[in-house]
Amino acid sequence: MTDAMSDFRWRSIALPALLPTALFSIGEGAILPVIPALATDLGATLAVAGFIAAMLTLGELFGDIPSGWIVSRIGERTAMLYATLVAIAGLVTSVLAPHPLVLAVGILLLGLATAVFALARHAFMTSFVPISHRARALSTLGGTFRFGLLVGPFIAALVLNLTGDTGAPLWIGVVCCVATGIVLLTLPDPESTFGVTAASRARAASEPLREGEKLVRDEAVGLFATLVAYRSVLLRLGTGSSIVAALRASRQVILPLWGVSIGLDEAHTATIIGIAGGIDFALFYTGGQIMDRFGRLFTAVPSLIGLGVGHIGLAFTHDLASREVWFVVVAVFLSLSNGIGAGVLMTLGADLAPPGRPAPFLGAWRFCNDAGGAAAPLLIAGLTAAFSLPIAAAAIGGLAFVGVGALLRYLPRYSPHR
C-alpha cells in the first residue's frame, strides 16, 4: 500500500467493515449480564450458572477449530452471514429452554457463531491494513466489540425495566443478528471496495498462485497442523496472550455472577456493567496509539496487571456492608484495565500471521487465546462449587501475574513498523 494511502481508505470501508461487528456485539452485550440470572431462574445453582455462562467462551474455543478453514473456503462476508444464522438459532434455543442444559446448548451455539464472525473480520483487517496503522485499526475493531458491550447492557436494562422478563434481552440479540445479516447483504463487501492493494500485489509477486489455488492450499492446512507448524511461537507468546484472554473472559462472567451473589436484580447489574463498558469503550483508540508508537508491551502488561488487581480486590469486598458500591468501583476499574489493552491480542496475531494467507494462523492464534478464555469461566465455576465465589476471583487474579511474567519474557520491546 502506498504512502498516499496510509489512511488505508478508512472512510470508504469503515461503515461496511465495522457496522456489522457493532450490531452483532450489541446483541451479545445485551445477553451477557442476564445469562446467570436465566440459569438460576431455571433452577441452576450459582456454580452451574457460572458453568452455563462459560459455554459462550467454550463455544468460541470450539468454533476456532473450523473458523480459519471456513473463512478461507467461503470468504469472510459469507462466513459472517452463516455465523449470524447460527447465533439466531442459539438465541432462540435459549429463549425456549425448559432446562439449564438446553440453555447451555443455546449459549454454546452463540459462542460458535462468535468465533467465526470475529475471525472473518480479523482476517480482513490483517490482510488490508498497513503495519504502520495496524494496532490502531485492530484497536478500533476491538473498540467496536466494546461498543456493543457498552450499548447492549443498557438496552437490556431498559427492556428488563419495561417488561420484567429476564429472557427479553435474548430477543434483542435476535433482532441485532437479523440487522447484521441485512447490513452484510446490502452494504458493499469491504474487500471488493478496497480493491487490489500494493500489499496484495506484492504478495502475489512473491507467491504467484491463483486465488482458487490459494484457497485450496489454505483448506489443506487444518487447525492442528497449524498449531504444530507454529508451536514454538504459540508456546511462548501464546501462553501470555491466553492468560490475557482468560482474565478478560473471567471479567465477563464474574461480574454478572457477583451481581446475583450480592442480591442485585438483573436490571441494576446490567446498568452497572453498561456504565463500566463506557470506560472500556472510551480507551480503545488510546491503546492502539500506544501500541503503534511504543510497542505492544506497553499496553499488554499494564492491562493484565490491572485485571489481576481488580479480581483480587473484588474478592475482599463480597461481605462488606458497602459491597454494592465496591461492585461498581471494581467493575469500572476492571473496564479501565481492559480498555487500555483493546486490540492487543488481535494486533499480536496480525504481527505474527503469514501475510499471504493469515486465516489459518489466526484461527490457531485465536484457538490458543480462546482456550484461556474458556478455561477461566470453567475454573470460576469449579472453584465456586468447591469453595466460594470470592476465592475463585482471587485465584483468577493471581493467575494474571503468571501471564505478566510470560509477556515480560517474550513480548518484543520495540514498535514493529520501525
Side-chain angles (χ1 to χ4, degrees):
M1 196 169 295
T2 64
D3 292 338
M5 293 173 60
S6 61
D7 61 355
F8 52 89
R9 299 179 186 171
W10 185 249
R11 292 181 182 178
S12 66
I13 68 165
L15 187 64
L18 297 179
L19 182 57
T21 304
L23 290 170
F24 190 90
S25 59
I26 287 171
E28 185 174 356
I31 73 164
L32 282 175
V34 300
I35 293 174
L38 288 167
T40 54
D41 286 349
L42 292 173
T45 64
L46 192 63
V48 173
F51 174 77
I52 292 173
M55 288 297 101
L56 185 65
T57 49
L58 197 62
E60 291 181 27
L61 177 65
F62 293 152
D64 287 331
I65 296 174
S67 61
W69 179 87
I70 290 171
V71 174
S72 293
R73 169 70 174 168
I74 63 178
E76 64 104 12
R77 182 165 70 166
T78 305
M80 292 167 75
L81 283 168
Y82 282 116
T84 59
L85 292 176
V86 174
I88 291 171
L91 290 165
V92 172
T93 300
S94 300
V95 169
L96 302 177
H99 190 273
L101 288 179
V102 180
L103 176 63
V105 171
I107 300 302
L108 183 72
L109 286 174
L110 180 61
L112 292 170
T114 301
V116 176
F117 192 99
L119 186 278
R121 190 51 83 217
H122 190 184
F124 166 77
M125 292 291 195
T126 299
S127 296
F128 285 92
V129 175
I131 194 170
S132 60
H133 290 68
R134 175 176 286 167
R136 276 166 285 181
L138 290 173
S139 292
T140 301
L141 180 61
T144 305
F145 282 108
R146 282 163 168 74
F147 175 77
L149 299 181
L150 162 65
V151 175
F154 283 120
I155 298 176
L158 176 62
V159 172
L160 285 165
N161 280 322
L162 291 174
T163 65
D165 180 9
T166 308
L170 295 172
W171 291 112
I172 300 172
V174 172
V175 171
C176 287
C177 285
V178 171
T180 301
I182 293 172
V183 168
L184 288 168
L185 290 171
T186 55
L187 290 182
D189 185 354
E191 185 172 349
S192 60
T193 300
F194 213 82
V196 179
T197 64
S200 63
R201 286 194 295 268
R203 288 195 299 268
S206 63
E207 190 175 16
L209 293 174
R210 292 183 293 108
E211 185 64 22
E213 292 171 340
K214 288 171 68 180
L215 293 180
V216 170
R217 181 195 59 193
D218 284 346
E219 292 170 38
V221 181
L223 172 68
F224 297 107
T226 307
L227 289 170
V228 171
Y230 294 97
R231 60 188 179 277
S232 179
V233 68
L234 291 175
L235 281 172
R236 288 196 292 263
L237 281 173
T239 299
S241 66
S242 65
I243 293 177
V244 174
L247 269 292
R248 288 178 172 180
S250 170
R251 166 181 160 268
Q252 290 182 342
V253 171
I254 208 164
L255 290 179
L257 277 176
W258 208 268
V260 172
S261 181
I262 65 176
L264 289 178
D265 61 62
E266 295 87 351
H268 280 91
T269 300
T271 301
I272 292 168
I273 292 174
I275 292 170
I279 305 295
D280 198 338
F281 173 71
L283 292 172
F284 76 87
Y285 197 73
T286 301
Q289 287 181 314
I290 293 172
M291 282 190 282
D292 273 336
R293 184 170 182 181
F294 300 108
R296 311 336 186 191
L297 185 74
F298 285 84
T299 61
V301 169
S303 175
L304 189 52
I305 290 174
L307 288 170
V309 170
H311 277 76
I312 293 171
L314 194 65
F316 289 96
T317 66
H318 187 271
D319 297 322
L320 298 180
S322 56
R323 55 184 176 270
E324 292 87 356
V325 175
W326 280 108
F327 178 61
V328 176
V329 171
V330 175
V332 169
F333 181 78
L334 287 170
S335 292
L336 176 68
S337 303
N338 192 57
I340 200 67
V344 67
L345 297 185
M346 290 189 292
T347 302
L348 286 172
D351 290 342
L352 299 169
R357 48 188 181 98
F361 176 83
L362 291 177
W365 175 256
R366 297 182 74 93
F367 178 83
C368 291
N369 293 334
D370 288 343
L378 293 174
L379 182 60
I380 290 171
L383 290 174
T384 300
F387 302 103
S388 66
L389 189 58
I391 288 178
I396 295 295
L399 181 65
F401 295 94
V402 178
V404 168
L407 292 175
L408 289 173
R409 172 65 179 84
Y410 294 115
L411 206 60
R413 267 71 167 171
Y414 54 86
S415 181
H417 67 269
R418 292 179 181 170

